[in-house]
Every structure is written in structure tokens, then in C-alpha cells.
Amino acid sequence: MATVLRWMTLGIGLLMVGGTLLNFSRSPHWFVRGWDYPRIQIALLTAASGTAYALWFSQGTALEWLFVAATAGCALRQIWKIFPYTSLAPVRVQQSKGGPARSTVRLLVTNVLMENAQHDRLLQLIRESDPDVVLALETDEVWARALEPVRRTHPHVLRHPRDNYYGLILFSRLPLLEARVEFLVQDDVPSVHASFEVAGERVFLYGLHPRPPEPIRDQDSTPRDAELVIVGRMIGEADGRPTIVAGDLNDVAWSPTSELFLRLSGLLDPRMGRGLYNSFNADNRLFRFPLDHVFHSNHFRLVELQRCGHIGSDHFPMLIELSYEPDAPAEQAETESEAGDAGEAQEKLEEQADAASTGQDRPERE
């Protein structure tokens, strides 16, 4: 039994170390990108396996100490990536100071899960949370009909239901200056492009739900990465407009692509210094990741950020209230770009163009 436990401990530790090393690759393959997600779980497993081996199985050989050192380095690497999203880290977005100059916008973003029939739970959440803007993702015609009562309080609507898990509906009580659906990368994956006024300033909203990498249908991350790069570039080239990006990005906050998106766009992540806000999987406490995001420009301070309760979906809705404050940019700088960002972004776009030309940007088994 001791021998079996020893080899199990070695196997778990080596697997986690290997997955951590794969994180350094830019490959879009689902197996590589899948290791971006469970950083907390990897940190715990490597720490546990290295500690257990050192205490109970090690005979002091050089290879054994190398294994213990590798697991320690792996755990530290994962903690370093997660740390900015803990309450121990500095807050990236300042709390609103309030006062007469404050004008707020309250946004609810929710992946409803298309086959979820518990429509009333979302309707109740909308009534109770009282958002100015609602972005509902994975909405088909059934969900579109179920959400019709929202029009009474949020009459400005952009409606694009689909039965392929990529439908979306935008409800707003604020008049929409523009509202359109665009297909940035693939003709069956829409995105929202809208704007409205807050404190006399035009605020631009992008609602996204790109196709995820997944093993079941052998889908890599190429189209997702390309969509984030396209939107990040659009925002970065728009010369400092008040901007909000919201949606189920099918990517974690600490992934290389999410980090590249922030650097390209200059946007801020209000979770930094506050917590992980894991939104998926709502039905599995052991494997939850922050897939539902709200990023924003430095024109806003934070009033409230909340992960809402279960609505029957596999995602928890996210609620955020932002305050447009003219002096905010002086206290919270944009996310800075790094050398090599432009080249990495272009590489992702070229990968998508190559994949699209051969049809390899689509799931193998739809």
C-alpha cells in the first residue's frame, strides 16, 4: 500500500508540474489552454503532493529533492498568478467616493444556460437587483419570450436569440444611442455593440460570448482568442472612450489571453484586490472559475460588485455598479501594454485566419 501511495503522490505531482509548464506555451490547443483554468486546484495538489512526499516517502536522494523543489516551484507559480485576485493584493479599481459628481450605471450579466427552464428565478433577480442594463447570454426563442416582462422596465432592447448557445439579449432602461449585433470572428457567434449616456458622457458597451476551447468537440481557443484581440484593439485604438466590456468570455481572468486583452484595451479588472468571483460551474463547488467578466475603462470607480445567487444555470450572474467620476483616471492608470503585445495579437489573428480558411476553427463534432 505504501508503494502505491508513493507512486500516486509522484504521479499527481508530476502531472501538475507538467500542466504548469504547458501554461507557458502559446498553443491554442484545448489541452494546453485547459491548464489555464484550475490554478487554485493545481497549487493545492502540488503543495500537497510535494509535502506528503517529503514527509512520508523521501529517502533523501537528489531526484526526490528535485521532485519536491519542482512541486514547490509549481505551487508558487500558480499562487503568483492568482494573487492579484485575492483580497491581499492591492485594489486595482478604487471604491467610489460618492458625492454630487457621481453618476452610476448598474449592469447585470448572466449566462442563462439555454435549456434552463427556471425563467422566473432570473426575472426575480432582475426585479430585486434593479439593474440599469441586463445582458442575457445563451438565450434562445424560449428564453426571449420568457424575458418579455423585462421590457416594461427596460424598454430599450437589442434582441438576437439563437438555438446554438450563442444567442443574446440586451435590455436597458437607459436610451441606447446605438445598438447592433456584430459577428467579429464567426458567423454564428454574435456580440453586442451598444452605447448609452451616463452623466452626459457616451459610454460604449461590448457584450461578448466567444466560442470556448473544449475537448468534447475538439475545439481549440483560436476563435475565442481572436475575438478578444479584435475587441481589445478596437478599444485601445478608440482614444480613451468610457467603455465597459461584459460577458461570458469562456476564459479565466488570469489566462495569457485575458491579460493580453487588458493590455491591448487598457481596461481595468475590478476583481483585482477583491476576490476571485468564481461564476462557473455553479453546480460544482470544487471546480469553479471566473469565466463571467466585467472590465471597464479608468473613467469609473466601483460602487458594488457581486456574484448573485443560483438561477438554475451553470453560471452565477454577475452584478456590478460603476460610478462615472471625471477625476478617476488621475488615480487609476490604464493597464499598460508591453513589448511584444502587438506581435502576439497579430499572431492570434493570423492563426484564426488560417484556421477559418480550412474550416478548422469550427468544432469537429457539432
Side-chain angles (χ1 to χ4, degrees):
M1 178 60 74
T3 300
V4 172
L5 290 175
R6 175 176 177 269
W7 282 107
M8 285 180 60
T9 304
L10 275 171
I12 291 171
L14 291 172
L15 179 63
M16 296 301 104
V17 170
T20 300
L21 293 175
L22 280 176
N23 277 152
F24 290 96
S25 170
R26 289 187 183 179
S27 170
H29 194 277
W30 61 262
F31 183 76
V32 175
R33 296 280 58 91
W35 291 95
D36 293 336
Y37 294 72
R39 291 193 184 275
I40 297 173
Q41 292 83 353
I42 294 172
L44 292 173
L45 286 171
T46 49
S49 62
T51 301
Y53 196 90
L55 291 177
W56 296 318
F57 304 118
S58 177
Q59 297 177 0
T61 68
L63 282 177
E64 287 176 323
W65 283 116
L66 178 62
F67 168 76
V68 172
T71 57
C74 169
L76 290 173
R77 163 70 179 175
Q78 301 295 355
I79 292 169
W80 180 75
K81 295 294 289 184
I82 298 164
F83 178 76
Y85 297 91
T86 69
S87 58
L88 299 174
V91 170
R92 185 69 179 91
V93 176
Q94 300 298 313
Q95 198 70 28
S96 174
K97 297 179 179 179
R102 186 174 85 173
S103 296
T104 65
V105 57
R106 193 169 172 87
L107 170 66
L108 179 71
V109 55
T110 177
N111 181 322
V112 301
L113 183 62
M114 191 174 72
E115 57 264 37
N116 174 22
Q118 301 180 56
H119 310 123
D120 289 343
R121 296 179 74 171
L122 178 55
L123 291 172
Q124 181 180 353
L125 175 61
I126 293 172
R127 289 192 298 269
E128 292 175 352
S129 60
D130 193 30
D132 298 305
V133 180
V134 178
L135 177 62
L137 306 169
E138 280 199 25
T139 44
D140 59 2
E141 283 291 352
V142 175
W143 265 101
R145 290 192 296 270
L147 293 177
E148 276 298 303
V150 180
R151 285 180 179 266
R152 291 197 289 267
T153 53
H154 297 69
H156 309 284
V157 180
L158 179 62
R159 186 180 184 275
H160 191 81
R162 298 180 72 96
D163 62 1
N164 67 345
Y165 294 92
Y166 295 102
L168 45 82
I169 305 176
L170 180 71
F171 295 96
S172 177
R173 69 159 55 107
L174 305 173
L176 296 174
L177 304 179
E178 65 172 324
R180 67 186 187 277
V181 169
E182 291 196 10
F183 298 86
L184 298 176
V185 175
Q186 296 174 314
D187 60 10
D188 59 345
V189 180
S191 57
V192 165
H193 300 251
S195 65
F196 47 80
E197 278 195 3
V198 175
E201 292 289 336
R202 188 170 186 172
V203 176
F204 293 82
L205 172 68
Y206 298 85
L208 308 179
H209 186 206
R211 178 170 267 124
E214 56 168 320
I216 295 175
R217 296 184 294 175
D218 196 24
Q219 173 65 54
D220 67 20
S221 71
T222 301
R224 180 202 67 186
D225 297 349
E227 184 164 338
L228 294 180
V229 163
I230 290 169
V231 175
R233 276 184 165 183
M234 289 169 57
I235 296 168
E237 294 169 359
D239 197 24
R241 304 187 307 192
T243 301
I244 300 170
V245 173
D248 169 10
L249 303 191
N250 280 308
D251 199 9
V252 285
W254 46 69
S255 82
T257 303
S258 290
E259 292 173 342
L260 176 63
F261 170 80
L262 288 179
R263 296 195 302 270
L264 291 173
S265 64
L267 300 185
L268 312 182
D269 188 339
R271 290 167 298 193
M272 287 185 169
R274 292 187 168 89
L276 302 176
Y277 294 89
N278 292 327
S279 59
F280 173 89
N281 185 328
D283 300 318
N284 190 328
R285 290 180 179 273
L286 293 179
F287 292 94
R288 283 183 181 168
F289 312 112
L291 299 192
D292 298 88
H293 307 258
V294 180
F295 302 124
H296 60 84
S297 60
N298 64 347
H299 305 85
F300 300 93
R301 292 191 178 98
L302 183 68
V303 178
E304 180 184 2
L305 178 61
Q306 177 186 343
R307 189 187 74 181
C308 302
H310 207 306
I311 61 165
S313 172
D314 52 355
H315 289 250
F316 291 109
M318 295 296 298
L319 177 69
I320 189 169
E321 185 172 358
L322 296 170
S323 173
Y324 178 82
E325 300 179 17
D327 65 334
E331 291 190 3
Q332 43 190 37
E334 295 182 346
T335 301
E336 294 184 359
S337 61
E338 297 179 358
D341 284 348
E344 183 178 353
Q346 187 60 35
E347 178 184 313
K348 291 184 182 299
L349 295 180
E350 290 174 358
E351 286 176 351
Q352 170 58 27
D354 291 343
S357 68
T358 60
Q360 293 180 357
D361 64 331
R362 302 282 177 167
E364 290 291 332
R365 294 175 288 276
E366 288 198 281

